Amino acid sequence: MVRTVYAPESCLQYLEQYAAQEKFGIGLILGQITDSRENVIHLARTPEEKVSDTISEGESLLERVESMAAVSEAWVADHAKHVTRMLPGGMFVLGIFITSEEEIFDNTNASSKVKSVLNYMHKVLNVNPHMYGNCPGTNEKLVLHYSNKTVVCKSIEVNSAIKGLGAKPVDWKFTPKECQWQRLDTYYEFDEVYPVLVKKNGISVKDQFQQIVEEAQKALEVSVMFIDGELKDRSDPLDQLVKKKKPKNAKSASTDPPKSMMVSLFVPFESSMPETVEYLECDGSIHFSGVVASSVFLYPKATVKEAEAAVKQDIIRSLTSRFTMHCDALIDDNLLPEEKVCFNEPPRRVLIPVGSLYLCDYLFPGEAPAEALLSVRELLDLHVAAAAVLCGAETPADTSEFDALDRDASTEELATPQEASQAMYIIGISVALLVLVVSILVHYYSDIRRAVGNVV
């Protein structure tokens, strides 16, 4: 059975634009794969690679690629890695597109280069599993070749032992209407405390964030998803849930887009408790607190099971993306042991409209929406007005608690681990004595009541 992929006509216009310039072009295919249908949402041309620093006139010297042989595997893979951060859960880099008059699939050298690019991209996206760079369940990537004469799409299995290209035909269809997406929104709250151990070279911020992501993923894996406050059958299509909610007198031919569904994730109590209790003498702790705003978009006939996977992917991908960006922006990854209190504020999420759905970007504290437009223009090849960027999904961090801690740390020395454990021991004894006194009083009061009852 031939694989079928659907793309909006805006993608055809995008390809025609570059083909008309008679220049070689390569870029990424962004989309979603579900059991019911494969949809492309956008084509993003890979920016030209910088080959040197700024020249005398203040302009960057860019390397113009004229053929498939000159394409840098690392540059395309790096583009895919950065674009993946901007995709909501359930969306992936499905492959690459090429605009040129050069024959891609029948030319041995060109086809070999195509497979090399796909293999390298797959490898880079697999380095960090928390980013969900590669679409789970498949090792095939799409290759779309467009010229003024033909449109040919094939799927290629990556990291396989197959010699040659091993391409399979794909039926690529441009549709006049954009896909009607079902939106699912959720706000997932974090409020956890993690231990910190000081090593010889200090405390690695990256390692601490990695621990947070791993713990968050464990909790999400066992969490139960409710849609609009109800537990749904995982095999139900999303559009059936929308139909059940519509009143009987509603117009069946309504063209209004489906309303957003509110999602809640609950971690079972027994799963939130540790399997074993271990005494660990720590040098400090990290209080990780905040809310991740999540908006995912799925094909309406996607199942509740697929929607659940997309929501969980989105939360973990978002955490991983902003932690990575935060660590990359740090001058020194190590926190020195003598630092008493340190406040880290990763970038917050903003939404970027792309057709009838939203992709995302991240803004550091103090950055304006215009900063996000630079990434959108360079990585997605889109021109979006600053007013269209939705910045209200997540609010800036509240630093009042940190400010109070910082003031206390500047005037008082923090207790050593031994002093802290002694303090906890004293508190524990006090609580035990209080419980003992209360139990004696209750017992004594009950004896008096029984005695009075006997007299009466």
Side-chain angles (χ1 to χ4, degrees):
M1 186 175 180
V2 177
R3 181 177 175 183
T4 303
V5 177
Y6 298 86
E9 281 192 347
S10 58
C11 290
L12 176 60
Q13 297 167 4
Y14 185 81
L15 293 169
E16 290 174 342
Q17 169 192 341
Y18 284 107
Q21 299 175 9
E22 297 183 352
K23 292 192 301 185
F24 178 90
I26 187 170
L28 306 176
I29 302 172
L30 314 181
Q32 182 179 91
I33 298 177
T34 64
D35 291 339
S36 53
R37 179 161 151 162
E38 295 187 32
N39 289 295
V40 172
I41 61 168
H42 183 61
L43 302 178
R45 190 169 185 264
T46 300
E48 295 176 334
E49 185 176 2
K50 293 182 179 180
V51 293
S52 70
D53 295 330
T54 56
I55 55 178
S56 57
E57 296 180 359
E59 298 179 354
S60 297
L61 184 61
L62 302 175
E63 181 181 19
R64 178 167 293 177
V65 177
E66 302 290 349
S67 66
M68 193 65 212
V71 171
S72 168
E73 293 95 334
W75 187 250
V76 177
D78 191 63
H79 182 212
K81 181 180 69 175
H82 284 86
V83 167
T84 298
R85 294 177 183 172
M86 308 177 78
L87 298 176
M91 302 285 183
F92 302 90
V93 175
L94 301 183
I96 61 175
F97 72 88
I98 301 164
T99 59
S100 74
E101 294 302 316
E102 176 187 15
E103 182 54 57
I104 298 298
F105 296 112
D106 294 334
N107 183 299
T108 304
N109 293 333
S111 61
S112 176
K113 187 69 172 185
V114 165
K115 191 164 186 177
S116 177
V117 169
L118 295 178
N119 284 337
Y120 197 94
M121 183 171 69
H122 181 84
K123 181 180 178 181
V124 168
L125 295 179
N126 244 13
V127 169
N128 191 342
H130 300 304
M131 280 294 297
Y132 295 100
N134 290 304
C135 184
T138 179
N139 280 335
E140 293 186 358
K141 297 288 187 185
L142 297 175
V143 179
L144 176 69
H145 180 225
Y146 181 86
S147 67
N148 287 326
K149 299 177 181 178
T150 57
V151 179
V152 179
C153 184
K154 296 187 178 183
S155 65
I156 297 174
E157 187 174 349
V158 294
N159 289 349
S160 66
I162 300 176
K163 293 182 179 181
L165 195 60
K168 302 176 184 176
V170 173
D171 186 11
W172 182 289
K173 294 184 177 181
F174 291 104
T175 57
K177 294 183 179 180
E178 288 194 6
C179 178
Q180 191 84 286
W181 299 97
Q182 177 59 58
R183 177 173 175 174
L184 294 94
D185 293 329
T186 186
Y187 293 92
Y188 192 79
E189 184 176 2
F190 291 93
D191 191 12
E192 302 289 341
V193 177
Y194 300 92
V196 172
L197 298 175
V198 177
K199 300 178 182 178
K200 292 182 179 179
N201 56 347
I203 304 170
S204 170
V205 178
K206 188 175 182 179
D207 290 344
Q208 299 300 327
F209 284 166
Q210 181 72 13
Q211 178 191 5
I212 291 174
V213 172
E214 290 175 357
E215 293 295 330
Q217 187 175 39
K218 289 178 183 178
L220 282 169
E221 284 177 353
V222 297
S223 65
V224 180
M225 187 177 79
F226 287 73
I227 299 179
D228 291 333
E230 297 179 2
L231 184 63
K232 306 294 185 180
D233 192 312
R234 302 185 78 201
S235 62
D236 284 347
L238 296 177
D239 60 348
Q240 293 298 324
L241 304 183
V242 176
K243 290 179 181 179
K244 290 178 183 179
K245 291 175 61 178
K246 285 185 178 181
K248 293 182 178 180
N249 58 355
K251 294 182 179 180
S252 58
S254 175
T255 58
D256 294 336
K259 293 183 178 180
S260 169
M261 294 180 175
M262 289 304 301
V263 172
S264 303
L265 294 170
F266 296 97
V267 180
F269 177 75
E270 60 272 15
S271 300
S272 63
M273 300 297 292
E275 296 180 0
T276 58
V277 179
E278 180 183 1
Y279 175 79
L280 187 64
E281 188 172 303
C282 304
D283 301 287
S285 63
I286 288 181
H287 183 194
F288 178 59
S289 178
V291 176
V292 171
S294 170
S295 293
V296 301
F297 300 83
L298 286 105
Y299 183 61
K301 293 192 178 297
T303 62
V304 172
K305 179 181 178 180
E306 291 172 325
E308 181 179 338
V311 170
K312 294 178 179 181
Q313 286 170 7
D314 186 70
I315 295 171
I316 295 299
R317 179 186 281 173
S318 180
L319 273 184
T320 306
S321 298
R322 60 184 88 195
F323 284 170
T324 302
M325 294 173 67
H326 179 71
C327 290
D328 290 343
L330 293 176
I331 298 175
D332 186 2
D333 179 57
N334 290 330
L335 294 178
L336 299 179
E338 59 265 21
E339 293 189 37
K340 303 303 180 185
V341 179
C342 182
F343 179 75
N344 283 267
E345 185 179 356
R348 61 190 177 96
R349 190 180 225 176
V350 295
L351 301 180
I352 312 293
V354 178
S356 58
L357 51 79
Y358 288 93
L359 304 189
C360 69
D361 198 13
Y362 299 92
L363 294 180
F364 284 93
E367 288 185 337
E371 300 289 339
L373 300 183
L374 297 176
S375 300
V376 172
R377 191 177 302 119
E378 182 178 15
L379 297 174
L380 299 179
D381 199 17
L382 280 172
H383 296 271
V384 180
V389 180
L390 300 183
C391 300
E394 294 180 350
T395 57
D398 181 7
T399 62
S400 58
E401 183 180 353
F402 166 74
D403 294 337
L405 289 172
D406 196 28
R407 285 193 299 269
D408 294 340
S410 62
T411 56
E412 298 180 5
E413 289 292 328
L414 297 183
T416 63
Q418 291 78 9
E419 292 170 343
S421 62
Q422 290 172 3
M424 291 301 296
Y425 180 68
I426 293 172
I427 293 172
I429 292 176
S430 302
V431 173
L433 287 173
L434 179 61
V435 172
L436 178 61
V437 171
V438 171
S439 62
I440 291 173
L441 291 175
V442 170
H443 181 72
Y444 179 69
Y445 179 69
S446 62
D447 286 344
I448 292 176
R449 289 190 62 181
R450 283 197 299 270
V452 172
N454 293 333
V455 173
V456 174

